[in-house]
Structure formats: C-alpha cells, structure tokens
C-alpha cells in the first residue's frame, strides 16, 4: 500500500493538481448507473481503488463520522466507517480538514440539454421542431423523451460541480406537455453511460404555445384537460378491443395519447411546474380529477398551501432561486414596493414552513446562477429549515422522490461513488466545494480568483462595516437605533441598541449583488420578537424592509458619518461585534 500526501492539500485542498488526483481515482463506472433499456456503455477502464482517510464523513443515511475512511472501488463505495480498512491496493489520500457529503442532486431542471441558439425566443415553442408521428402540435407531445434530446457537454458542468451537484433530473425546457424526464449523472461520456433512470415522470407546464391555441392560461387548462379526456377514452377503447378482439377493432395508434396511459394508471408520476398559490391549487385539482400522482416543481408560494399539499401527500421539487435585486440601488430611486420586499423576506422561509407542515420536498436550482446556489441553501437554513433536513432534501430525499435511492443520495457501501468534497462545513459561508466525484472520477473545482480590493478604479470596496444611525418604521411608529456592523467577505456580524432594545445580530450575510440580511430580536410594545432585516447599501446610506411574523412589513433607513474599513470596525470592543 502506497500512501500519498498532497503538498498543502489539507486544509487547502484546492492547491493539489487535478492531473495527479485523476490518475489516483479515475474510474469509468458511469455505465453501472445507466437505465436497463440503454445498454451501450463505454469500455471499462482498468480497476482503480482510492481510500480517503481522516475526513469528516456525512452519510445522510446515518450519523456523522467525525473522522473516518471511505474507500472507492470501480466507481462504487466499497467501504465507509471510522475504522474502515484500507485495502492493500488502494491509493491513499489524507482527508484531514475535509467534509465529504453525497453528491448533491438538482431535482428539476434542463441540464444536459443543448443550449438554445442566440436570440431564440420563448413562449412555449422549442427552438427547432422535434420529429414526431403525433397529430398534436409541438409542445403537446407527451411521448417525447428528454433522453432523445440530451447533448451532454462537460463544459456545462463547471457551475453545478462548483455547487457540489453531481446528478440532475432533467426535462424539456418548453411546451405544455414536456414529455418524460430522466435522471443523468454530470460526468463524462456518451448519453447511455450517463443516464441513471428513464423515464422518471411526465412533465406538464401551464405554458401556452405562441401564435396558436392554446395561447392563454385559460386555453392551456382547456387543452390539457381535453387531452387527458381523450387519453382516457383512447385507453378504454384499447382495453375493450383487447377484451373482445374479434368484434371490436383496435383504435388507430396514437403515440401522444398512448404516452399518457402510465400517468392515468398511476404508475408514473406527473410533475406540474407551478409557482403561484393559484397554479399549485389548480394542479392539485387537476390531479385529483384524473387520479394522477402529482409532484409540484417550483413552488415559490407553496407555503401558502402547505396544509393542502400535506393532506394530499403531494411532494415538492422546491426551487432555491430566491428573489433578489437585479439592479444596483440608486440613491434617488423610489423605494421598492412592499410586495417586492416581502417576497424577498418570505422566500427563504418557504422550505422551513413546508418541513414544519410535514410536506416532503427536494431542492432544485430553479434557474439561479450557480454561485448563488449554496448561499441560497444556507439562507433556507437561516430561514428556519434544519441543516440536516436541508442536506437530506438535496441528497437522499431527492433520490427517493426520483426513484434512484438504491444507487444515489447517501454514502453507503454499494452505492455509486458520487461525492461532494468540501473544505469546512457545507453550511458555513467560508466553506468551499473543492472536488466532486462522479461515478468514481474525481473532478477538481478551481478555486475562485481572489477579488482585488476596490472596484478596479482605485476606489475602496463598499462595506457595511461601521456605526450606523438607523430609523426603523414598524406599524406607524418610528424607532431610532444604533447598529455597529462588521463585514468580512460575505459575513456580517454586529450589534444593535436603542429604542428596540439591545441585541446581537445573527445569520448576517451579504450577497454578491450587494443585498444584505440579518436577524435580530427587537422589543416592541407587544414584547420581544425576532425581526428579519433585508436591505441595500448605497454609499453611506442603507435602507430596506423589516419582517416580523404577525406584523405588517416595516422599513428601515440609516446613515453613517463616514465609511469605515472592516479592520477599523473589527477593532471595536468585543462586546458589541461578537
């Protein structure tokens, strides 16, 4: 057994070279996860065994192992445990300072589909018509399989890999009936080697077809309902002809109506893309009418109908694409509408509220940029979701909902070697995904380039560090407070004192777009309650919204006399900036 130690790899794993690590752990086991109907695979590579020792192991399916060994052989997990034996033929990697998680699963999206051409329009039409024998127009062909459209490109994987994602559930990007979806591994090789499971579900969206019927939301529901009624009638005619073939001719084969039979029989789930409360309720009603097995994907306002989702036992593929400011704030801009501020405050609480109601869910990227994905996952935890529940929703819980839990979602012997290797703890803002393992192949995530201090024009970088005089408006009353804040990177700490009491802030963070948020207990006439502050910095002024459960949304604004650097603020007494 040869022991290899990478120079300064731990705790700084990102400094070791990809070429050496790949030679240690290169495995071609992607084909082991391909669907039974897709038998073509790449020729297997020579056997390879890797043992990572001394790492913090987070299996999800069992308790955390503070320091243990995980052994990967031929693309599968061969052993895991505090005292797992290192095989004699293993290449050994020192894992001190690392946390190893199952590879995260993006539970809904369009990964592995070809990028649309520049200038391609939306509106429910695919960029290029797909060949079909269907009598229905493009966008209303449930027989279409996303597997036939997959064009995996390893260059697309850098974003999701950087967020720890190794597997994606993918479907067509447009249309009302989007056909059947598939689970694919984000590795290298041809499509058959990457497909984990297909078909997974029928995917429906409340999206019209531009320039023809159905173009409106009302038309979409009418067309969708009519197609399911036609499919019911078609299925009944086929069954009647099978029972009495001599006197009843079989109806003409219809690929679109045939494709809906598993959904009507309850053997294949139907995913409804629905974000608003109204869309979700309509999806539930539609599924009940046709006795479907529904799954809701998106669910921005799912918390408003949590009780109905729980009562119907309908799971969610829940988006982590939380609302955010899309343009830099301007000093003379009008205040943002209360509705917009409320959406920003409420969105990260959505997962925690669904978990409290007992609704099952898995996480999806929801179209957010990949650099926002893990920060948004942490925002969900700050919004009330337990960290272990958040991790499960992105790993084993997602695998269970997608029917791949026997192969993916946890660190267990015999499961595919899909890992997210993290320097630190995944739920700490200072952590970083340094490598992922996809079917045994180790892929390095380049470290982000250090941002130069300032804005590139000789001006100091904007920071929230300093002492702020802030006016907080809550239900018609104004309260003056002093905030002592310290910003270090994207972390925000500090304290608040004044008319709302004395308190330390928590869950403080600053987004890439400059939006900041934190929570703090405030004392108002009803007593002490937790408040969420979400705002933006413009020069030496801050302003934003304040959310307290059971109260109307408030506002805050404030100034500081002069900008202060993080170092200056850090020098304040420890009691005020803990």
């Amino acid at each position: 057994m040869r022991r290899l130690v990478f120079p300064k790899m731990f705790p700084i794993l990102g400094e070791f070279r990809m070429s050496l690590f790949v030679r240690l752990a290169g495995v071609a086991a992607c084909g082991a996860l391909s669907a039974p109907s897709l038998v073509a695979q790449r020729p297997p590579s020579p056997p390879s065994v890797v043992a990572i020792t001394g790492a913090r192991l987070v299996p999800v399916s069992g308790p955390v192992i503070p320091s243990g060994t995980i052994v990967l052989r031929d693309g599968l997990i061969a052993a895991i445990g505090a005292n797992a034996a290192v095989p004699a033929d293993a290449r050994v990697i020192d894992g001190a300072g690392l946390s190893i998680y199952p590879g995260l699963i993006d539970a809904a999206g369009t990964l592995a589909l070809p990028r649309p051409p520049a200038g391609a329009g939306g509106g429910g039409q695919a960029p290029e018509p797909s060949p079909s024998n269907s009598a229905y127009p493009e966008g209303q062909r449930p027989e279409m399989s996303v597997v036939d459209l997959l064009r995996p490109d390893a260059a697309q994987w850098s974003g999701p890999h950087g967020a720890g994602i190794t597997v994606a559930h993918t479907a067509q990007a447009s249309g009302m009936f989007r056909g059947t979806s598939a689970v694919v591994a984000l590795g290298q090789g041809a499509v058959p080697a990457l497909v984990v499971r297909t078909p997974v579900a029928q995917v429906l969206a409340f999206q019209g077809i531009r320039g023809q019927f159905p173009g409106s939301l009302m038309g979409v529901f009418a067309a969708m309902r009519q197609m399911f009624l036609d499919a019911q009638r078609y299925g009944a005619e086929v069954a009647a002809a099978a029972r009495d073939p001599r006197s009843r001719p079989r109806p003409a084969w219809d690929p679109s109506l045939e494709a809906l039979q598993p959904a009507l029989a309850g053997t294949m789930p139907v995913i409804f893309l629905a974000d608003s409360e109204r869309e979700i309720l309509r999806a539930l009603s539609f599924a009940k009418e046709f006795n479907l097995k529904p799954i809701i994907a998106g669910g921005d306002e799912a918390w408003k109908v949590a009780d109905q989702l729980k009562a119907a036992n309908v799971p969610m593929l829940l988006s982590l694409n939380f609302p955010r400011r899309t343009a830099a704030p301007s000093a003379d801009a009008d205040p943002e509408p209360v509705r917009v501020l409320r959406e920003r405050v409420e969105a990260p609480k959505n997962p925690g509220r669904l978990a409290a109601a007992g609704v099952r869910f898995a996480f999806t990227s929801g179209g957010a940029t990949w650099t926002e994905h893990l920060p948004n996952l942490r925002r969900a935890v700050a919004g009330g979701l337990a960290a272990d529940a958040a991790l499960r929703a992105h790993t084993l819980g997602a695998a269970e909902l997608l029917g791949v839990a026997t192969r993916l979602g946890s660190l267990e012997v015999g499961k595919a070697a899909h890992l997210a290797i993290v320097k630190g703890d995944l739920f700490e803002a200072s952590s970083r995904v340094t490598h992922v393992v996809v079917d045994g192949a180790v892929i390095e995530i380049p470290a982000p380039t250090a941002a130069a201090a300032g804005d590139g024009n000789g001006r100091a970088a904007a920071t929230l560090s300093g002492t702020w005089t802030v006016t907080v408006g809550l239900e018609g009353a104004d309260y003056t407070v002093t905030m002592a804040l310290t910003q270090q990177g994207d972390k925000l700490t500090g304290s608040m004192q004044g008319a709302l009491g004395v308190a330390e802030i928590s869950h403080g963070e600053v987004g890439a777009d400059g939006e900041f948020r934190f929570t703090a207990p405030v004392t108002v006439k009803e007593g002490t309650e937790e408040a969420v502050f979400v705002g933006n910095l413009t020069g030496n002024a801050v302003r934003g919204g304040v959310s307290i459960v059971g109260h109307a949304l408030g506002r805050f604004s404030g100034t500081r006399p002069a900008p202060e650097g993080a170092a200056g603020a850090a020098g304040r007494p420890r009691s005020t900036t803990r």
Side-chain angles (χ1 to χ4, degrees):
M1 176 177 71
R2 182 169 56 168
R3 179 173 293 275
L4 301 177
V5 179
F6 297 99
K8 296 184 179 180
M9 172 179 170
F10 308 104
I12 309 176
L13 180 62
E15 295 181 7
F16 74 74
R17 295 181 179 178
M18 174 61 179
S19 60
L20 182 57
F21 206 140
V22 168
R23 288 201 298 272
L24 297 181
V27 181
C30 294
L33 294 185
S34 59
S37 60
L38 301 173
V39 296
Q41 300 177 12
R42 292 174 292 164
S45 297
S48 180
V49 185
V50 176
I52 306 175
T53 63
R56 176 175 172 261
L57 305 176
V58 188
V60 177
S61 57
V64 173
I65 301 169
S67 180
T69 296
I70 185 167
V71 179
L72 314 179
R73 181 185 292 273
D74 298 339
L76 301 176
I77 299 174
I80 181 173
N83 301 305
V86 177
D89 59 342
R91 308 296 180 91
V92 180
I93 300 170
D94 182 5
L98 297 180
S99 295
I100 299 181
Y101 302 85
L104 305 186
I105 299 172
D106 185 1
T110 58
L111 282 170
L113 289 176
R115 294 184 177 92
Q125 289 183 317
E128 296 180 3
S130 303
S132 174
N133 291 316
S134 174
Y136 292 89
E138 188 82 13
Q140 286 183 260
R141 297 174 182 170
E143 75 277 13
M144 302 302 292
S145 170
V146 74
V147 170
D148 297 326
L149 305 176
L150 295 180
R151 300 293 184 270
D153 176 3
Q156 296 183 42
W157 303 159
S158 60
H161 283 171
I165 292 170
T166 65
V167 174
H169 176 220
T170 192
Q172 293 188 65
S174 62
M176 181 171 64
F177 284 84
R178 301 190 177 185
T180 55
S181 59
V183 175
V184 297
L186 305 187
Q188 296 183 349
V191 169
L194 301 180
V195 174
V196 179
R197 183 182 178 216
T198 185
V200 175
Q202 276 285 348
V203 182
L204 276 63
F206 301 130
Q207 182 181 51
I209 302 177
R210 187 173 55 191
Q212 64 184 73
F213 178 84
S216 66
L217 184 59
M218 185 80 74
V220 166
F221 278 103
M224 191 178 290
R225 187 171 184 275
Q226 187 60 56
M227 197 159 183
F228 271 92
L229 289 171
D230 291 345
Q232 282 183 331
R233 184 178 64 255
Y234 173 83
E237 291 175 354
V238 170
R243 289 192 302 269
D244 189 9
R246 295 185 178 183
S247 60
R248 296 184 67 109
R250 190 185 191 281
W253 176 71
D254 188 313
S256 296
L257 301 183
E258 187 81 38
L260 293 178
Q261 299 309 308
L264 288 168
T267 58
M268 179 182 291
V270 176
I271 295 175
F272 291 88
L273 276 62
D275 280 319
S276 69
E277 177 184 9
R278 183 175 66 171
E279 287 177 338
I280 296 170
L281 290 175
R282 284 182 171 178
L284 294 179
S285 176
F286 190 95
K288 183 177 180 180
E289 178 183 359
F290 291 98
N291 199 29
L292 307 176
K293 291 177 60 177
I295 299 174
I296 306 298
D300 290 348
E301 295 184 348
W303 61 274
K304 295 182 178 180
V305 292
D307 291 342
Q308 292 94 318
L309 290 166
K310 173 60 178 176
N313 193 28
V314 174
M316 297 285 309
L317 306 180
L318 196 60
S319 171
L320 283 174
N321 188 4
F322 297 145
R324 62 184 179 87
R325 179 185 282 274
T326 57
S330 172
D332 57 355
D334 292 333
E336 291 182 296
V338 170
R339 174 187 57 81
V340 173
L341 293 171
R342 184 179 296 280
E343 286 176 353
R344 284 201 213 144
V345 170
E346 298 296 335
K349 300 177 184 178
N350 191 17
R353 288 167 168 169
L354 292 175
V359 177
R360 294 178 298 149
F361 60 87
F363 280 132
T364 85
S365 58
T369 63
W370 293 111
T371 55
E372 296 174 320
H373 187 73
L374 290 180
N376 282 351
L377 180 65
R378 297 172 189 128
R379 287 175 63 188
V381 172
L385 181 65
D388 57 348
L391 179 61
R392 198 179 195 284
H394 226 332
T395 54
L396 188 56
E400 290 169 346
L401 288 181
L402 299 175
V404 294
T406 58
R407 298 179 182 274
L408 298 166
S410 59
L411 303 182
E412 299 181 60
V413 172
K415 287 196 173 183
H418 279 247
L419 314 178
I421 301 176
V422 180
K423 178 185 173 183
D425 187 289
L426 185 68
F427 292 98
E428 290 293 332
S430 59
S431 68
R432 184 174 76 84
V433 178
T434 60
H435 292 76
V436 293
V437 178
V438 182
D439 287 321
V442 181
I443 302 165
E444 182 182 14
I445 312 301
T449 57
D455 62 2
N457 295 312
R459 294 186 293 268
T463 175
L464 284 160
S465 296
T467 302
W468 297 84
T469 300
V470 178
T471 300
V472 181
L474 292 172
E475 296 186 334
D478 289 339
Y479 303 85
T480 301
V481 299
T482 299
M483 295 183 182
L485 303 178
T486 298
Q487 180 182 342
Q488 294 180 317
D490 59 359
K491 298 285 287 183
L492 187 64
T493 57
S495 64
M496 182 174 72
Q497 60 182 352
L500 293 174
V502 178
E504 299 287 328
I505 74 171
S506 59
H507 303 304
E509 61 179 19
V510 183
D513 57 356
E515 182 178 274
F516 66 88
R517 64 177 53 236
F518 62 84
T519 61
V522 298
T523 302
V524 290
K525 57 185 178 181
E526 292 84 358
T528 301
E529 301 181 71
E530 195 78 1
V532 179
F533 291 75
V534 180
N536 288 277
L537 167 68
T538 306
N540 293 319
V542 292
R543 65 179 179 182
V546 185
S547 173
I548 304 175
V549 175
H551 293 256
L553 186 71
R555 294 186 179 275
F556 72 91
S557 61
T559 59
R560 60 184 171 189
E564 295 187 34
R572 298 182 182 282
R574 187 173 181 84
S575 61
T576 61
T577 58
R578 186 175 60 195

